[in-house]
Amino acid sequence: MRTFNYLLFILFLGLFSCASTKEKSSKDITIHWKQRTNDVNEKNESFAELTIKNVGKQNLEKGDWELYFNNKPCTNLNVDLAGNDVDIEKINGDFFKITPKKSFKGLATGDSIIVPLYTNSAVIKYTDRAQGFYFVFNKNNKKDFYTPSYSYSDLEPEMAKISETDTYVVETKEIRYENNSKLSEIELKTADKIIPSPFKVTEGKSSIDITTLKQIEASAKATRQAKLLQSYFKDATGVELEIVPKASESAIRLTINKVNSSEEAYVLNINEKNIEILGQEKGLVYGIQTLRGLLPIKGESNKIKTAKILDQPRFEYRGFMFDVARNFQTKETIKNLLDVMSFYKMNTLHFHLTDDEGWRIELKKFPELTEIGSIRKHPTSEYSTLPSYGSGAEGIENVSNGYYTVEDYIEILRYADERNVTIIPEVDLPGHARIAINAMKFRAENLRKVEGDEEADKYLLHDPNDKSEYSSVQGFNDNTICPCQESSYNFIDDLIGEFKSIYAQAGVPLETMHLGGDEVAHGVWEKSPLCQEFMKENGIKSINELKGFYAVKLAEIAKSNQIKLQLWDDILHHAEGMSPENLTLNAWDNSWGTGTEDFGYKRANEGYDVILTSVSSLYFDMAYTKEVNEPGFYWGDYNDTRNIFNYLPTNFFEVSHKLRLGGELTVEEMKDKERLTAKGLSHIKGIQGALWSETLKTPQDAEYLLYPKMMALAERAWSQSLVKKGDKEKEIFKNLDQQWNVFANAVGQREFNRLASWGRHFRIPPVGVEIEGNVVKVNVAYPGLQIRYASVKDTLDSDSKVFTSPMNIDGPIQIAAFDQYGNHGRVQIISLNKEII
């Protein structure tokens, strides 16, 4: 499928998702957003202008209207600087309301007003812009909803500068050219074609024609693996191999046999007439995936080299966290992700199912959770889930609105289990729990009328008299459950029971559950009468001690349910007294230059099992580059595929690191950071990527940020460490450069074409360009991609001319990198004077 130029795509998306409902209303109002500058005042706020214009025949009157919208996530607006015509009110989270002041004179046809938006954070990307605008007109006690036409101005490249002290260099076509020039196209050997890199490969001198294979030999115990292989082989070749207990013709033999101490290890023997895969049940699946990776892709020969491959993983936990709470992804998208994860030998999906902005899993015991939390639209009661992230008045199906039924989730579990992927569900508590709190309030209100107080209050998660003042990272002031009442723990206990029931129905045991623990805001519970009394009765002297009590209680509930507990590691930043027993932590906050870089290592050294989930390298929602037309966040870093490839899980401080605002953190400056001890190293169980979904509106948005980043993550999770004891920074980077050249060739020559054949979207980077006089030189980040060009008057597509060597140009041309399926990266228009796009 076509990988769209992101700039054109986001313009289309904006027009589509914000289309005016003119057929339902005679109103014609336009909204235009224009970012002006960052770091505009002593508060370091950014400044944008919102133009509201009447282009219809009716006047926009002085009163009786409200305009709702979402500002940039995780920020706040300075409502005191809203101008002379309107007031701005923060409702909650990223959701704001504009209302006319008494001084507002109305808008006749052609009139407009400009509303200043001062945001307490830089705005440097299209995905930062305000969105989700809709009017509510109040007449005769009736609400009339109206979605105006919406547009926004281009962001100039220089707007990528966050502040006056920001010296981080924005990627340009010249920088890309210089970086790409370090690469060389190579002929891929068997070992080079396999991502992640296998432990040991011995390539033979002959080959096997895969069209001669007729059967799959497998015992009854290996039937599931045989069916998976049968499906993969047919997808790749069009041929359906027969599954038999004893082969009589050329065959692929699956043999369940212990290879070594790892149940995921396998041996793949490719001979001239037959192929054999040995391993335990899990190892067989990975051997099948490696063979799948060697099967021909479009344009390749049916012959593959003979070889013997012995392979095993570096880490037992190779994970990926996918947030479907902020914005939803369908069952089909999740199954597509699971298939790609399994192919690259990732074995754990950390499924972030709930948050303040969405609840995405049906639980039969608590139907209120999806009733309240699976739909974002204009609030109709105090329990409503607000229309965050541009959801609008009615929400967007399969984006802001949607959830998995029990049947959906069981189907996903079984699909994952067949592919060696364990799904760890996450319900985020005690913070990030706004929906759960409101749903249990809603439940209580309904039950109190028929069941009485005891049943109604059984699962309450809040103290009704709590006057605590706080604001979470996402801007919510009511999203943290109360740890001082038994009903909160009743809810958590029965919640786990519901998940255990679903997993049991699927025939897949629930071994681990993630219960969040992150980003509990400062100020929670301080003015809760329940907590004041509870702390007094239990000798708890501080809120930090109370957090510790909650954490310990959580561990007890998990243990009583016979499951392992997983949490984000910042639950221990302030909580006190939690044992490492039965607990795994996701260590995420290692942003370079913030002082938290060694937190994950410290926890491992203390004896906690740790999954490194480092924001600086493994958060996929961080934008590939700083360029204004690259989507995503950047509060943790800019995170392209090479940055993930350079990730050294157990050797953080052996190399220097770029800082988000420019400069670098050197090895010398990190000399006092805590290193892993032998004990700590044994507690690093693996690594995990993460994709938070605030900026994702479609499956294509997700896949753009997923691929090829996922391949680099898999390389670091599975393959052996490239750092040897005593290696210095220069030597480490030399090894990284050499390995990256092979990896980049594999991606450019094969993996993009593979993903395209599977119907996946992905990011093909823009080409690098160098201009000398009238001569244009162009190169690519992944050797094997084709560079095509056309005049600006013609269509640039897979039939356009191939750029093969430096050439003279006498006018502007458009140019991009292409795979063999016609997918291309960002189109750039190049002239001798300037880069137009």
Side-chain angles (χ1 to χ4, degrees):
M1 299 176 74
R2 182 161 303 279
T3 304
F4 291 101
N5 174 328
Y6 187 79
L7 175 59
L8 296 178
F9 174 73
I10 201 70
L11 286 170
F12 168 79
L13 181 62
L15 291 173
F16 176 79
S17 63
C18 299
S20 174
T21 54
K22 292 187 178 74
E23 70 278 10
K24 296 181 180 180
S25 174
S26 58
K27 306 175 186 68
D28 280 295
I29 305 170
T30 64
I31 302 286
H32 183 79
W33 177 87
K34 182 178 180 64
Q35 175 65 14
R36 287 293 185 182
T37 186
N38 289 313
D39 202 10
V40 72
N41 55 28
E42 67 281 357
K43 294 183 178 180
N44 305 116
E45 293 175 326
S46 65
F47 171 51
E49 290 180 336
L50 197 68
T51 302
I52 304 171
K53 185 173 183 178
N54 185 359
V55 296
K57 297 179 180 179
Q58 290 186 356
N59 291 344
L60 182 63
E61 302 297 340
K62 292 183 178 183
D64 298 327
W65 62 265
E66 300 159 342
L67 174 60
Y68 294 86
F69 71 102
N70 304 107
N71 201 48
K72 177 185 172 182
C74 305
T75 64
N76 209 345
L77 276 177
N78 190 337
V79 298
D80 295 328
L81 298 178
N84 298 323
D85 296 300
V86 300
D87 289 314
I88 301 179
E89 175 190 347
K90 177 174 180 175
I91 298 175
N92 218 336
D94 70 341
F95 191 44
F96 291 82
K97 177 173 71 173
I98 293 176
T99 53
K101 289 183 175 179
K102 291 183 179 180
S103 56
F104 176 67
K105 298 178 181 178
L107 293 181
T109 300
D111 288 348
S112 62
I113 60 169
I114 295 177
V115 179
L117 301 180
Y118 289 88
T119 300
N120 68 333
S121 165
V123 170
I124 72 169
K125 291 179 176 292
Y126 292 97
T127 42
D128 289 339
R129 70 191 188 279
Q131 57 183 325
F133 294 92
Y134 65 92
F135 281 93
V136 176
F137 293 93
N138 302 296
K139 288 191 176 181
N140 301 321
N141 295 319
K142 183 180 178 182
K143 293 184 182 297
D144 179 17
F145 292 90
Y146 173 74
T147 302
S149 296
Y150 172 58
S151 61
Y152 56 92
S153 294
D154 291 342
L155 291 173
E156 298 299 326
E158 57 269 19
M159 289 185 178
K161 190 177 178 69
I162 290 175
S163 66
E164 288 302 315
T165 58
D166 178 8
T167 61
Y168 191 101
V169 177
V170 181
E171 184 175 282
T172 63
K173 64 185 187 300
E174 294 83 8
I175 291 174
R176 285 193 291 271
Y177 185 86
E178 181 182 355
N179 290 336
N180 297 346
S181 295
K182 299 170 186 175
L183 300 168
S184 59
E185 189 163 355
I186 61 173
E187 182 179 349
L188 297 173
K189 299 177 181 178
T190 298
D192 304 333
K193 293 179 179 179
I194 303 166
I195 296 176
S197 301
F199 182 71
K200 184 178 181 181
V201 178
T202 305
E203 186 176 270
K205 296 182 179 179
S206 55
S207 60
I208 180 174
D209 187 336
I210 63 163
T211 62
T212 64
L213 295 167
K214 304 299 181 184
Q215 296 177 325
I216 298 171
E217 180 181 300
S219 67
K221 199 174 180 182
T223 298
R224 189 168 77 164
Q225 290 82 2
K227 288 182 177 179
L228 196 64
L229 172 58
Q230 183 186 54
S231 171
Y232 289 154
F233 196 90
K234 184 176 181 181
D235 288 345
T237 67
V239 175
E240 185 170 309
L241 302 178
E242 181 186 12
I243 299 173
V244 296
K246 186 67 177 178
S248 58
E249 301 182 77
S250 293
I252 304 172
R253 293 187 173 86
L254 303 181
T255 304
I256 294 180
N257 197 11
K258 188 174 182 179
V259 173
N260 56 32
S261 60
S262 171
E263 64 177 356
E264 296 181 308
Y266 67 91
V267 174
L268 171 60
N269 288 315
I270 303 173
N271 303 310
E272 292 181 14
K273 296 188 179 296
N274 297 289
I275 296 173
E276 183 180 25
I277 304 173
L278 298 90
Q280 297 184 58
E281 284 88 343
K282 289 185 177 181
L284 284 183
V285 171
Y286 294 131
I288 289 167
Q289 297 292 15
T290 292
L291 176 60
R292 184 186 183 195
L294 294 173
L295 295 176
I297 303 172
K298 183 177 182 180
E300 293 184 341
S301 167
N302 286 323
K303 292 184 177 182
I304 60 176
K305 285 277 193 179
T306 56
K308 181 174 182 178
I309 300 171
L310 169 63
D311 204 4
Q312 63 190 45
R314 177 185 182 187
F315 291 115
E316 65 185 67
Y317 184 112
R318 304 177 302 281
F320 183 71
M321 193 286 312
F322 198 21
D323 165 25
V324 295
R326 269 60 178 270
N327 279 315
F328 185 64
Q329 297 290 340
T330 65
K331 174 179 66 177
E332 290 70 29
T333 298
I334 300 305
K335 290 169 72 173
N336 288 338
L337 170 64
L338 288 167
D339 200 51
V340 177
M341 285 180 63
S342 179
F343 176 73
Y344 292 114
K345 302 182 177 69
M346 305 296 293
N347 67 358
T348 307
L349 175 63
H350 170 176
F351 212 2
H352 189 85
L353 293 163
T354 77
D355 221 296
D356 300 312
E357 305 92 339
W359 188 285
R360 307 302 184 183
I361 175 72
E362 177 189 23
L363 301 179
K364 297 293 188 182
K365 193 165 193 173
F366 302 114
E368 300 86 2
L369 291 167
T370 46
E371 183 179 351
I372 294 295
S374 68
I375 297 174
R376 293 204 299 261
K377 61 181 181 179
H378 184 75
T380 55
S381 78
E382 63 177 299
Y383 310 121
S384 296
T385 297
L386 302 175
S388 303
Y389 311 128
S391 303
E394 297 298 326
I396 307 167
E397 191 65 24
N398 291 329
V399 179
S400 63
N401 301 351
Y403 68 95
Y404 308 111
T405 65
V406 169
E407 293 72 25
D408 289 336
Y409 199 78
I410 288 172
E411 183 180 338
I412 289 170
L413 285 175
R414 289 173 175 166
Y415 192 87
D417 189 53
E418 289 172 357
R419 288 157 178 78
N420 280 5
V421 180
T422 298
I423 296 182
I424 297 175
E426 180 184 358
V427 173
D428 207 347
L429 304 167
H432 294 280
R434 186 174 191 270
I435 287 173
I437 292 168
N438 284 338
M440 293 305 97
K441 285 183 186 178
F442 179 64
R443 175 188 181 277
E445 181 181 289
N446 290 334
L447 283 179
R448 209 175 305 280
K449 302 169 186 175
V450 292
E451 297 284 349
D453 289 349
E454 184 176 350
E455 181 60 31
D457 293 343
K458 185 175 180 180
Y459 299 114
L460 276 183
L461 300 176
H462 75 297
D463 174 0
N465 298 310
D466 188 356
K467 304 299 181 183
S468 301
E469 297 178 8
Y470 62 89
S471 180
S472 72
V473 172
Q474 287 73 27
F476 291 99
N477 59 15
D478 55 357
N479 77 337
T480 307
I481 72 171
C482 176
C484 306
Q485 52 193 22
E486 197 60 31
S487 55
S488 294
Y489 302 111
N490 292 338
F491 175 81
I492 295 170
D493 193 27
D494 285 3
L495 177 88
I496 294 172
E498 287 292 287
F499 274 94
K500 288 186 71 174
S501 173
I502 294 171
Y503 276 69
Q505 291 175 62
V508 179
L510 177 63
E511 297 178 352
T512 302
M513 189 159 176
H514 203 297
L515 291 175
D518 60 315
E519 296 184 331
V520 177
H522 178 73
V524 297
W525 312 320
E526 290 179 351
K527 298 179 182 179
S528 161
L530 275 177
C531 285
Q532 289 170 358
E533 183 64 25
F534 182 85
M535 292 169 69
K536 184 178 179 180
E537 290 177 356
N538 290 275
I540 297 173
K541 299 177 181 178
S542 69
I543 295 297
N544 283 352
E545 283 189 42
L546 182 57
K547 290 177 182 177
F549 175 89
Y550 168 83
V552 171
K553 186 74 172 177
L554 212 59
E556 291 173 356
I557 294 172
K559 188 174 182 179
S560 70
N561 279 279
Q562 298 180 311
I563 62 169
K564 192 170 180 65
L565 178 63
Q566 197 159 315
L567 299 169
W568 296 103
D569 72 323
D570 51 319
I571 194 170
L572 299 189
H573 288 0
H574 306 291
E576 300 171 5
M578 193 168 193
S579 166
E581 182 187 358
N582 198 44
L583 174 64
T584 300
L585 297 172
N586 288 101
W588 65 272
D589 186 9
N590 77 318
S591 301
W592 304 117
T594 61
T596 61
E597 300 90 349
D598 56 0
F599 277 14
Y601 286 2
K602 287 180 176 179
R603 297 306 184 197
N605 290 343
E606 291 167 0
Y608 293 93
D609 284 349
V610 169
I611 308 299
L612 297 172
T613 316
S614 309
V615 60
S616 60
S617 298
L618 302 182
Y619 270 32
F620 287 20
D621 48 307
M622 298 296 124
Y624 281 94
T625 73
K626 194 180 183 183
E627 296 162 282
V628 295
N629 51 359
E630 278 294 338
F633 287 150
Y634 44 90
W635 57 266
D637 213 327
Y638 305 98
N639 195 8
D640 64 9
T641 307
R642 179 65 197 266
N643 192 44
I644 299 170
F645 189 87
N646 284 2
Y647 185 66
L648 305 174
T650 56
N651 299 95
F652 280 178
F653 309 122
E654 310 309 314
V655 296
S656 302
H657 300 277
K658 277 185 172 182
L659 297 175
R660 189 176 71 95
L661 293 177
E664 67 176 11
L665 189 64
T666 66
V667 172
E668 175 63 22
E669 290 171 322
M670 295 184 289
K671 65 182 180 181
D672 295 327
K673 292 295 178 182
E674 187 165 331
R675 266 65 173 174
L676 283 171
T677 61
K679 175 184 176 181
L681 184 61
S682 71
H683 284 284
I684 299 294
K685 297 304 178 182
I687 67 173
Q688 175 171 289
L691 179 56
W692 301 97
S693 66
E694 291 94 333
T695 64
L696 309 183
K697 297 294 192 294
T698 67
Q700 293 81 5
D701 289 351
E703 290 179 342
Y704 183 91
L705 291 168
L706 277 168
Y707 313 123
K709 291 181 180 183
M710 179 71 75
M711 304 172 201
L713 173 68
E715 183 72 15
R716 287 294 154 256
W718 178 277
S719 301
Q720 301 305 301
S721 173
L722 57 77
V723 181
K724 298 179 178 62
K725 188 174 181 179
D727 282 355
K728 301 299 181 185
E729 182 173 25
K730 185 175 181 180
E731 190 172 4
I732 292 171
F733 274 123
K734 181 180 178 181
N735 290 337
L736 280 168
D737 287 343
Q738 291 172 346
Q739 289 198 13
W740 174 256
N741 192 66
V742 175
F743 179 89
N745 271 270
V747 173
Q749 293 184 38
R750 306 190 83 239
E751 297 309 306
F752 280 146
N753 296 322
R754 184 191 315 283
L755 290 175
S757 73
W758 293 348
R760 304 280 66 76
H761 287 69
F762 45 91
R763 179 187 185 263
I764 296 177
V767 298
V769 180
E770 183 177 81
I771 301 175
E772 294 180 354
N774 288 357
V775 178
V776 173
K777 300 177 182 178
V778 185
N779 58 17
V780 293
Y782 295 100
L785 294 171
Q786 287 187 320
I787 303 170
R788 295 184 180 273
Y789 70 98
S791 74
V792 292
K793 298 178 181 178
D794 297 325
T795 300
L796 179 64
D797 57 26
S798 56
D799 293 324
S800 298
K801 294 179 181 178
V802 177
F803 191 106
T804 56
S805 60
M807 59 181 285
N808 289 299
I809 63 171
D810 53 11
I813 61 170
Q814 49 181 326
I815 195 162
F818 282 74
D819 68 12
Q820 292 184 20
Y821 285 78
N823 304 306
H824 62 81
R826 187 195 312 158
V827 175
Q828 296 175 93
I829 299 177
I830 307 300
S831 76
L832 298 179
N833 298 318
K834 66 176 182 177
E835 180 181 352
I836 301 172
I837 294 181

